[in-house]
Amino acid sequence: MPEITITLPDGSARTLADGATGADLAADIGPGLAKAALVVEVDGEPHDLATPLPDGAKVRFLTSRDPEVLEHIRHSTAHVLAQAVLELWPGATFAGGPPIEDGFYYDFELPGGATFTEEDFERIDARMREIIAADQSFERFELPLDQAKELMADHPYKQTFMDLAAAGDDADGEVSSGEVISFYRNGDGFVDMCRGPHVPSTGRLGHFQLTRTGGAYFRGSEENPMLQRIYAAAFADKKELRAHLHRLEEAAKRDHRKLGVELDLFSFPEEVGSGLAVFHPKGGIIRRLMEDYSRQRHEEAGYEFVYSPHISKSNLFETSGHLQWFADGMFPPMQLDHDHDGGSTDYYLKPMNCPFHILIFKNRQRSYRELPLRMFEFGSVYRYEKSGVVHGLTRVRGMTQDDAHIFTTKDQMVDELESILLFVLDLLRDYGLDDFYLELSTKPDGKAVGTDDEWDEATAALRSVAEKMDIELVMDPGGGAFYGPKISVQARDAIGRTWQMSTIQVDFQLPQRFEMTYIGPDGERHRPIMIHRALFGSVERFFAVLLEHYAGAYPAWLAPEQVRILPVSEAHADYAHEVAAELRGHGFRIEVAAADETLGNRIRRAKGEKLPYVLVVGDDDVAHRTVGVNPRGNEVERDVPLGGFIERLGADVAAKR
RNA sequence: GCCCGAGUAGCUCAGUUGGCAGAGCAGCUGUCUUGUAAACAGCAGGUCAGGAGUUCGAUUCUCCUCUCGGGCUCCA
């Protein structure tokens, strides 16, 4: 009988009968592994355990402890979801169902255009658990394209995937491009097209939870029909699933929209309009402190401060190209300045600040000696976001950008880009964010101005600077603005979520469109290069990011109320106010909570408002000029000398703690 | 913009065959005078998102609009 030899990860070899599968090998090694193995990796490629092993292969088993097995668990669970839905809705059809971070989704089209409801989740979940309890095995088989399409005759979306793959477009990852299409059949005959591998049987699954449902365009295009998508979380074991669900709860608790209400920071009055925020006094303090510090740092870094109006005649945005390329994102025009012939002039709310800064540059002749010329503005812009995308402070229709435009010579560009990026990262760290990666966005398909050479040059400049930073760099092909490529700084917050923060964009286009020039040392006119740069992105979004990052517990330098002083009884009120006055004299933000409620309740309120410090003052403190210090997140300290506390708070603020 | 869901007091939420609108917290007024996470009592608070329709009667049923939430697409 012919034999094959297999090498294991520890370098040892095993001999098996020809035709032996991964499962056979696992059983040969031991019953523990046979039970635990989910997928077999043959020469680095994942396969089903039922796959016969080739002679001489290097083989490794993946169990629930291997992180790379998660995608196979998720893919297999998605298959069970599809099985359940197609059983429960006769006549339903299905499209794609890939694994994603933390789980998977699957897209369906239900008969009669029906949609999923929350109650449906229970039925689907119950049916999925029945399928899992039945421990049906997944069996792979392959068919040539024509037979495959016949098998999926009732499922046009699957056929589309096959056609795309046959044409060499496997961007959807649903099917491997090639001569044959692979399928998986379950114990009771359900078949789904899939490139695999799957876990051996449904019994190996079960740590999942259906989470959300919603419409989703087929293959992500607005041109295509809308399908019904179900999202689920799925993990290798119960503990991981529970930990993930717990993380979701924690994230929900620090949702800036919820904290904004609880801490009385901002609101979106319905009377004003969708996506238009008002900041309340406490939110106003935080925002002003954020802006003040930014202003100070920009001043130190050689930026000059400018101001521009919120509206402009249409000519400006015609010259800039915004009306050609960005009109969808702009509020419709106001027609003003009517003349006798019935003509009028269109005025637009500005969606960006750059054209105004260019006009400031152009207001007089500029010399190379003035470059780099750095203009900064907290510029409020308005964008007509589509109704479905407005979201808290992170996606609004009126926002203020901490916007700067830097005009340089070509020679200065790379150095300037580097110093901007260093400046941005340094400043973000001061606000408490210190975990970053960079994203380089390149020329968008079709929707861009300028030549390929210009784009290549600008992209190369950005790349060279990004690579110097010793920070992870990822590519975002086609993600640039219409006028140039960009680097964006992505920051991870306290619970690991990433937010797009700063963007730095190189722009050769607007200087051309506006025919900007400066006089060089040679006495000739030259064209400057423009760098667009926003650090917060928008003040509103950055506000939201910091609020969620700190979960409302702002460091002392940003806290709207840094200290609340609680006299134990009314007898200590005078001393409390004396302490408050002294602290205010040092520039701190202080309130006194009078003793008309119990001390315990006043402590509780102050804690709910997440103040950095609560001071309690009673008889002992009046006698010795001390305070009782109750710091956020730490133990209570008694008999602290007032002077010592003032120093400590000053140190917190200075260190931005 | 598209698919789905929701909107009741400042906040969190009750409110069924369509019949006078409720609680807790917050607020206000008293009383209590407190040493580290909920003292006690009382009062006030609502065009039930807005507008049409059906009905003797609509918070409840229907339609439209607005706003919000979850997705898709888009994006700072």
Side-chain angles (χ1 to χ4, degrees):
Chain A
M1 187 170 176
E3 291 184 331
I4 58 170
T5 305
I6 298 300
T7 312
L8 296 172
D10 63 2
S12 65
R14 280 195 180 243
T15 304
L16 295 155
D18 188 20
T21 65
D24 295 334
L25 174 60
D28 189 51
I29 293 171
L33 183 64
K35 209 172 151 191
L38 293 171
V39 170
V40 59
E41 211 176 76
V42 180
D43 295 326
E45 289 294 318
H47 287 277
D48 297 318
L49 284 179
T51 309
L53 300 170
D55 189 26
K58 287 198 171 107
V59 171
R60 172 182 167 230
F61 289 101
L62 301 181
T63 70
S64 64
R65 277 190 287 188
D66 296 296
E68 59 264 54
V69 87
L70 269 175
E71 72 169 290
H72 307 304
I73 288 174
R74 288 169 181 158
H75 220 147
S76 300
T77 312
H79 188 115
V80 174
L81 170 63
Q83 185 175 355
V85 168
L86 264 60
E87 279 180 25
L88 292 169
W89 279 267
T93 185
F94 55 164
I100 54 173
E101 189 171 4
D102 300 325
F104 62 90
Y105 67 79
Y106 218 115
D107 288 340
F108 301 95
E109 189 173 74
L110 301 182
T115 58
F116 294 111
T117 65
E118 288 297 317
E119 296 82 71
D120 291 335
F121 271 29
E122 285 180 34
R123 298 164 57 206
I124 297 167
D125 184 271
R127 182 60 196 135
M128 285 176 73
R129 292 189 196 282
E130 282 170 19
I131 292 166
I132 286 165
D135 196 19
Q136 301 172 358
S137 34
F138 287 109
E139 289 159 23
R140 182 189 177 94
F141 63 95
E142 295 176 347
L143 293 175
L145 182 60
D146 54 339
Q147 288 180 37
K149 288 179 80 165
E150 206 171 299
L151 181 65
M152 288 286 131
D154 295 336
H155 299 294
Y157 299 111
K158 295 288 185 192
Q159 294 190 44
T160 303
F161 285 133
M162 289 187 233
D163 289 338
L164 286 162
D169 177 1
D170 63 348
D172 297 284
E174 285 300 315
V175 56
S176 41
S177 38
E179 298 298 307
V180 294
I181 310 288
S182 59
F183 292 88
Y184 283 81
R185 190 196 323 270
N186 284 35
D188 69 354
F190 173 77
V191 172
D192 190 4
M193 180 180 88
C194 185
R195 68 200 324 184
H198 276 326
V199 299
S201 66
T202 59
R204 304 302 190 92
L205 308 170
H207 307 292
F208 71 90
Q209 176 160 310
L210 305 183
T211 52
R212 282 189 289 269
T213 176
Y217 298 112
F218 179 56
R219 303 191 67 232
S221 168
E222 283 177 298
E223 312 290 313
N224 289 338
M226 180 159 282
L227 307 176
Q228 296 302 313
R229 176 171 298 178
I230 292 178
Y231 283 94
F235 288 87
D237 60 48
K238 184 174 282 183
K239 207 172 132 192
E240 282 178 52
L241 175 63
R242 235 187 328 221
H244 173 252
L245 297 174
H246 181 70
R247 278 196 298 278
L248 291 184
E249 281 171 29
E250 289 303 304
K253 271 190 216 160
R254 54 172 78 209
D255 187 313
H256 75 277
R257 294 167 300 181
K258 184 178 155 75
L259 289 172
V261 174
E262 287 172 6
L263 301 177
D264 193 15
L265 303 180
F266 57 85
S267 60
F268 292 89
E270 201 176 316
E271 295 86 335
V272 180
S274 179
L276 299 167
V278 295
F279 282 77
H280 302 187
K282 284 181 191 165
I285 292 174
I286 297 162
R287 178 170 173 163
R288 180 176 55 75
L289 292 163
M290 287 166 52
E291 292 176 352
D292 283 352
Y293 183 63
S294 166
R295 240 182 229 112
Q296 179 203 323
R297 290 292 306 270
H298 277 86
E299 204 165 3
E300 290 165 6
Y303 287 79
E304 300 178 272
F305 292 75
V306 298
Y307 296 87
S308 60
H310 292 204
I311 64 172
S312 163
K313 290 191 285 192
S314 58
N315 315 20
L316 184 62
F317 299 119
E318 275 159 23
T319 305
S320 68
H322 282 94
L323 283 174
Q324 189 184 350
W325 300 99
F326 201 74
D328 286 351
M330 294 169 69
F331 277 84
M334 292 167 254
Q335 290 176 344
L336 301 172
D337 302 342
H338 294 273
D339 61 27
H340 294 298
D341 303 328
S344 64
T345 305
D346 284 350
Y347 280 74
Y348 284 89
L349 282 166
K350 64 174 172 179
M352 294 186 193
N353 302 299
C354 26
F356 299 85
H357 296 182
I358 290 170
L359 295 182
I360 295 169
F361 182 99
K362 282 183 50 154
N363 184 56
R364 62 173 169 78
Q365 199 162 62
R366 298 287 174 178
S367 156
Y368 73 96
R369 294 175 194 276
E370 295 179 78
L371 307 184
L373 181 57
R374 307 181 184 95
M375 288 188 205
F376 179 95
E377 176 177 11
F378 279 113
S380 295
V381 299
Y382 298 88
R383 298 185 185 175
Y384 191 74
E385 299 293 346
K386 289 190 287 185
S387 60
V389 307
V390 171
H391 182 92
L393 285 175
T394 61
R395 196 73 185 274
V396 293
R397 283 178 167 170
M399 62 174 157
T400 301
Q401 295 182 308
D402 61 329
D403 207 2
H405 295 95
I406 296 138
F407 305 96
T408 74
T409 68
K410 218 167 194 174
D411 294 342
Q412 295 166 333
M413 178 175 73
V414 171
D415 284 351
E416 187 63 21
L417 284 172
E418 183 174 349
S419 71
I420 291 169
L421 192 48
L422 288 170
F423 175 69
V424 160
L425 293 172
D426 190 51
L427 197 41
L428 285 176
R429 287 190 183 101
D430 279 346
Y431 287 95
L433 299 167
D434 52 15
D435 188 1
F436 307 112
Y437 69 93
L438 302 175
E439 196 169 88
L440 179 58
S441 303
T442 58
K443 187 176 179 180
D445 289 337
K447 205 184 169 188
V449 292
T451 66
D452 283 348
D453 283 350
E454 288 167 335
W455 276 84
D456 290 347
E457 188 178 351
T459 306
L462 284 171
R463 180 193 289 274
S464 74
V465 167
E467 284 171 350
K468 276 193 194 171
M469 289 298 130
D470 198 26
I471 294 176
E472 183 189 357
L473 175 67
V474 302
M475 296 303 294
D476 171 30
F482 69 84
Y483 48 75
K486 69 178 178 192
I487 290 179
S488 49
V489 177
Q490 312 277 335
R492 293 187 186 90
D493 73 4
I495 57 172
R497 297 169 302 175
T498 64
W499 300 86
Q500 175 170 328
M501 310 291 342
S502 320
T503 59
I504 301 170
Q505 308 181 335
V506 175
D507 184 353
F508 294 124
Q509 307 308 324
L510 286 178
Q512 281 174 29
R513 296 183 75 98
F514 281 92
E515 300 179 329
M516 298 172 75
T517 58
Y518 65 91
I519 305 297
D522 55 3
E524 300 291 319
R525 290 172 186 272
H526 298 274
R527 182 135 293 161
I529 285 162
M530 185 172 177
I531 300 168
H532 304 243
R533 188 240 64 168
L535 194 152
F536 294 159
S538 76
V539 178
E540 287 79 2
R541 171 176 287 182
F542 194 61
F543 189 101
V545 171
L546 284 190
L547 178 51
E548 300 207 5
H549 176 62
Y550 289 120
Y554 285 100
W557 77 282
L558 282 174
E561 185 180 340
Q562 295 165 313
V563 178
R564 186 171 299 170
I565 303 173
L566 314 184
V568 171
S569 78
E570 266 169 32
H572 314 109
D574 286 349
Y575 179 66
H577 281 102
E578 204 182 307
V579 170
E582 175 142 6
L583 285 164
R584 285 192 192 112
H586 283 83
F588 298 124
R589 297 179 291 279
I590 311 297
E591 299 295 333
V592 175
D596 51 9
E597 283 182 299
T598 59
L599 184 63
N601 201 30
R602 285 177 287 154
I603 300 257
R604 183 178 143 268
R605 281 172 194 268
K607 291 293 176 185
E609 293 175 47
K610 308 187 185 217
L611 303 184
Y613 289 103
V614 177
L615 299 186
V616 175
V617 294
D619 287 338
D620 299 345
D621 300 297
V622 174
H624 302 107
R625 225 178 150 66
T626 56
V627 291
V629 179
N630 187 335
R632 184 176 59 207
N634 282 304
E635 296 301 306
V636 170
E637 302 157 43
R638 289 285 300 270
D639 307 319
V640 176
L642 179 55
F645 176 73
I646 289 170
E647 259 178 53
R648 172 170 167 187
L649 180 55
D652 283 354
V653 170
K656 302 209 153 20
R657 283 197 290 261

